[in-house]
Structure formats: structure tokens, C-alpha cells
């Protein structure tokens, strides 16, 4: 079985608000898959459906070959870990507590962690470089540190798939790159499938194997970044003038939004 996730004719509505309409695509095992699109296009709703946080009505979401609705909560958590948006938390727990929570889907009836669980938590903290913070409380961390703790928790869960909803939002550029490099290392060393929502098209282009572009809840286009990132594709979706050329890093598209004053001066693509 080559696919981690298969989506077939997926539609979703919040009561009478139709948010997703007839999406079909698949995510390969070990792939770095990034969902992009304007605000309100349905990105978060889509990843919540894949993570099992929202329930599809029909057999439209398959995880590791099985209908997502056939998994129990614990068995799904052994397949998928969800890293939420980087929201400041008033958390009384320490970093090592939070990372160890990742073992919950693997624990027996009494919920006691074994030496192996503690070892896995230590390894996950070392992998995301938060081991020196193990005794600190979550509410005493910076945004970038907190995000690395949540990724450590996800890794400690030993899932096949990690889903991240805008993990780099509100981080400075160095911390954004650190999170993205970490995701790349996770893919290379652990072969975990990563599905990420991102607002940053250029960051996505630098790391993703596949981009999926949503517009008004519909799949506009999906494929490798150099196929998706052209101004013919992006302008009708984002509704603003954009230039696309090659990044100075080479063989990567680079998207430059055009400020309004250039447009007033008669700018043309
Ligand atoms: P994106 O992540 O692309 O910004 P979302 O999936 O968050 O898009 O939202 C898509 C649409 O669904 C928006 O119009 C939003 O207002 C609506 N929406 C999101 N969550 C809910 C909810 N819990 N109840 C009702 N409407 C929602």
C-alpha cells in the first residue's frame, strides 16, 4: 500500500455552510505534503478531517488503507499525530510531561509509562532539540520552543503521519526555517508522512514534495511545487498580482507579491 492518505470525493459542511466540495487526492508514504490557499478556503477543515478531529459523512477519507471511521480514538492516534497552531498556552505541565503524553495511545489499561516510553520521550526531545528544556513549564517557553515541544510529542506518539496546522505562524524567519528543517529531517530519518497547512508559499515551495492549492473549498490544483507555482495558477486563486521567477537557490519557484503602488504606476506582468 503506497498511500498514507486517500481522499475521494470529500465534501464537508458546518451545518448549512458548505466548506469543502468534492476533493480527491492522495498522499504517498513518507511525503512532505503542504496545503496552501487563501484565508477561509478550507485548509484547516481539510486537515481536521484527515486528523479525525472532524468526522466525514461517508467513506471519503482512508488512512493507511482503512476508512477513518473504522478506527477507534486510540488506534487512530497510533497512526496520526496532530500538531495544533502555535497558540500561547497557560499550561501547568513541564516539557517532558507534554512529550510523554504522546505515549498515551500506546499505554495499557493503567496508563503507566514504561522505561521504554520514557526513553522514547527523551529521544524525541533530543531530536527536536528541546532536551535542555525538559524540566521547564510550557508557559515559560518562547513560541519556537513550544512548537518544537509539540513536534516532539507528535514524534513520541510514533505515528505514520504527522499533521501540522500552520506550525510556523508567528515565528521569526530563523525559527520558521528551524521548524521546516526539522520536518525535513523527520522525513529523511523517520520516513514519517507530513501534512502541513502553510500560509507561506515560498517556504512551502522550498520544502514540499507536493502542494495542494485550495480555492473556495475546491481543489484548484495539486502537484510538485514547480507545477503549481506559476502566476497563471496563483493569481486567480489569491486575487492579487504576483511575480513568479526562480529562487537564487536554483530550481525552485519564488513568488513575489506586487505592492499596490507598482500597480497604480501601470505595472504589467
Ligand atoms: P482556512 O484554514 O483555509 O482559513 P477554514 O477551514 O478554517 O479555512 O474555514 C473555512 C470556512 O469554514 C470559513 O468560512 C470558516 O468561517 C468556516 N468555519 C471554520 N470552522 C467553523 C466552525 N467550527 N463552524 C462553522 N464554520 C466554520
Amino acid at each position: 500500500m503506497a498511500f498514507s492518505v486517500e481522499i475521494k470525493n470529500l465534501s464537508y459542511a458546518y451545518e448549512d455552510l458548505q466548506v469543502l466540495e468534492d476533493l480527491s487526492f492522495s498522499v504517498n508514504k513518507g511525503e512532505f505534503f503542504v496545503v496552501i490557499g487563501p484565508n477561509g478556503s478550507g485548509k484547516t477543515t481539510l486537515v481536521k478531517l484527515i486528523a479525525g478531529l472532524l468526522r466525514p459523512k461517508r467513506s471519503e477519507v482512508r488512512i493507511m488503507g482503512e476508512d477513518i471511521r473504522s478506527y477507534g480514538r486510540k488506534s487512530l492516534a497510533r497512526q496520526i499525530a496532530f500538531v495544533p497552531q502555535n497558540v500561547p498556552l497557560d499550561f501547568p505541565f513541564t516539557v517532558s510531561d507534554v512529550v510523554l503524553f504522546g505515549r498515551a495511545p500506546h499505554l495499557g489499561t493503567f496508563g503507566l509509562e514504561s522505561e521504554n516510553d520514557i526513553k522514547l520521550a527523551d529521544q524525541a526531545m533530543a531530536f527536536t532539540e528541546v532536551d535542555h528544556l525538559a524540566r521547564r513549564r510550557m508557559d515559560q517557553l518562547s513560541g519556537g520552543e513550544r512548537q518544537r515541544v509539540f513536534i516532539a510529542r507528535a514524534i513520541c506518539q510514533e505515528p505514520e503521519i504527522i499533521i501540522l496546522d500552520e506550525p510556523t505562524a508567528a515565528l521569526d524567519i530563523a525559527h520558521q526555517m528551524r521548524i521546516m528543517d526539522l520536518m525535513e529531517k523527520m522525513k529523511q530519518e523517520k520516513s514519517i508522512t507530513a501534512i502541513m497547512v502553510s500560509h507561506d508559499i515560498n517556504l512551502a515551495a522550498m520544502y514540499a514534495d507536493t502542494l495542494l492549492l485550495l480555492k473556495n473549498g475546491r481543489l484548484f490544483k495539486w502537484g510538485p511545487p514547480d507545477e503549481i507555482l506559476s502566476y497563471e495558477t496563483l493569481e486567480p486563486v489569491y486575487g492579487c498580482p504576483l511575480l513568479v521567477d526562480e529562487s537564487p537557490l536554483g530550481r525552485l519557484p519564488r513568488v513575489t507579491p506586487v505592492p499596490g503602488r507598482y500597480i497604480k504606476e501601470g505595472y504589467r506582468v
Side-chain angles (χ1 to χ4, degrees):
M1 185 229 325
F3 298 133
S4 294
V5 177
E6 290 166 88
I7 303 290
K8 213 166 172 196
N9 307 117
L10 173 65
S11 297
Y12 190 82
Y14 293 105
E15 296 178 1
D16 52 2
L17 178 68
Q18 192 68 36
V19 173
L20 297 177
E21 193 76 58
D22 202 23
L23 307 187
S24 296
F25 62 90
S26 48
V27 182
N28 290 319
K29 274 191 177 177
E31 193 173 14
F32 195 168
F33 190 97
V34 181
V35 181
I36 58 173
N39 290 336
S41 57
K43 303 180 295 297
T44 295
T45 304
L46 174 61
V47 293
K48 281 186 172 170
L49 282 157
I50 299 172
L53 301 172
L54 293 172
R55 195 175 160 81
K57 299 266 178 312
R58 292 176 293 276
S59 175
E60 303 154 310
V61 179
R62 296 182 81 78
I63 303 296
M64 307 304 290
E66 303 284 335
D67 185 340
I68 195 168
R69 298 171 312 160
S70 68
Y71 285 96
R73 207 165 52 90
K74 247 181 163 178
S75 61
L76 187 63
R78 290 196 288 266
Q79 303 291 347
I80 299 186
F82 185 74
V83 177
Q85 287 193 12
N86 188 12
V87 280
L89 294 171
D90 185 17
F91 238 42
F93 299 108
T94 65
V95 167
S96 60
D97 288 338
V98 169
V99 176
L100 206 48
F101 289 154
R103 296 307 298 158
H106 299 273
L107 302 181
T109 323
F110 300 109
L112 296 175
E113 294 101 3
S114 66
E115 259 176 47
N116 187 49
D117 295 317
I118 291 163
K119 192 178 92 192
L120 287 168
D122 288 344
Q123 285 171 352
M125 286 189 283
F127 191 85
T128 66
E129 298 172 7
V130 291
D131 38 349
H132 61 295
L133 303 170
R135 300 272 130 242
R136 282 254 215 111
R137 274 176 36 182
M138 287 299 281
D139 54 1
Q140 298 167 343
L141 303 184
S142 73
E145 289 167 342
R146 214 163 32 228
Q147 209 53 352
R148 296 207 306 283
V149 173
F150 283 125
I151 294 173
R153 181 181 66 176
I155 289 172
C156 189
Q157 207 170 315
E158 291 191 301
E160 296 284 341
I161 305 162
I162 292 187
I163 297 183
L164 305 100
D165 191 358
E166 290 194 52
T168 59
L171 298 185
D172 67 44
I173 200 158
H175 286 91
Q176 288 179 20
M177 297 306 279
R178 195 164 175 189
I179 295 288
M180 297 303 278
D181 284 340
L182 181 58
M183 299 309 297
E184 189 160 83
K185 183 169 88 155
M186 192 178 78
K187 179 183 120 175
Q188 283 163 356
E189 295 181 15
K190 299 187 181 289
S191 306
I192 295 176
T193 308
I195 301 178
M196 178 187 287
V197 171
S198 178
H199 258 309
D200 190 323
I201 304 174
N202 284 316
L203 207 57
M206 281 191 269
Y207 289 90
D209 299 307
T210 303
L211 292 179
L212 183 145
L213 180 58
L214 281 181
K215 182 189 182 193
N216 295 335
R218 289 185 175 269
L219 195 164
F220 194 80
K221 203 167 177 183
W222 66 298
D226 55 352
E227 279 179 23
I228 303 301
L229 300 183
S230 66
Y231 82 92
E232 293 93 332
T233 304
L234 295 176
E235 280 193 358
V237 173
Y238 286 94
C240 67
L242 297 164
L243 288 171
V244 181
D245 62 359
E246 192 179 273
S247 153
L249 294 172
R251 295 196 303 119
L252 283 171
R254 174 181 59 176
V255 179
T256 307
V258 182
R261 65 178 181 280
Y262 287 79
I263 300 163
K264 281 191 216 124
E265 287 162 12
Y267 155 87
R268 293 276 178 279
V269 176

